[in-house]
Amino acid sequence: HASVPSGAIAVTGNLTVTGQTSLGFLSIGPVAQNNPTSSTLNFPMNDDRANAVTVALSGGGTLSVTYAAPTSGATAHAIFDVTGYFVP
């Protein structure tokens, strides 16, 4: 468990998807996106997937994960485990 200091500007970690009701992708970044133009983690149905990432934090030190799926009302569980951080 990494404790991220308030002055951190980015984090490294593992993004995992599980329990998805549709195929799709996750996009992680400093702010939520209605229509992400790139994916961080692509996945099919019934397959837990993970991807190691380095991602910038928002000015308030937060992250957002967007789930994009071809069907309306799809759900998924996203897990982000912090493994490290960057400070200025």
Side-chain angles (χ1 to χ4, degrees), residues 13-17 26 28 40-41 49-53 65 78-80:
N14 292 307
L15 178 63
T16 304
V17 66
L26 297 179
I28 189 170
T40 306
L41 178 61
R49 295 268 172 118
N51 192 19
V53 299
V65 176
I79 303 160
F80 188 73

Side-chain angles (χ1 to χ4, degrees), residues 25 27 32-38 66-69:
F25 69 87
S27 180
Q33 302 175 47
N34 285 334
N35 295 302
T37 57
S38 66
T66 302
Y67 174 27

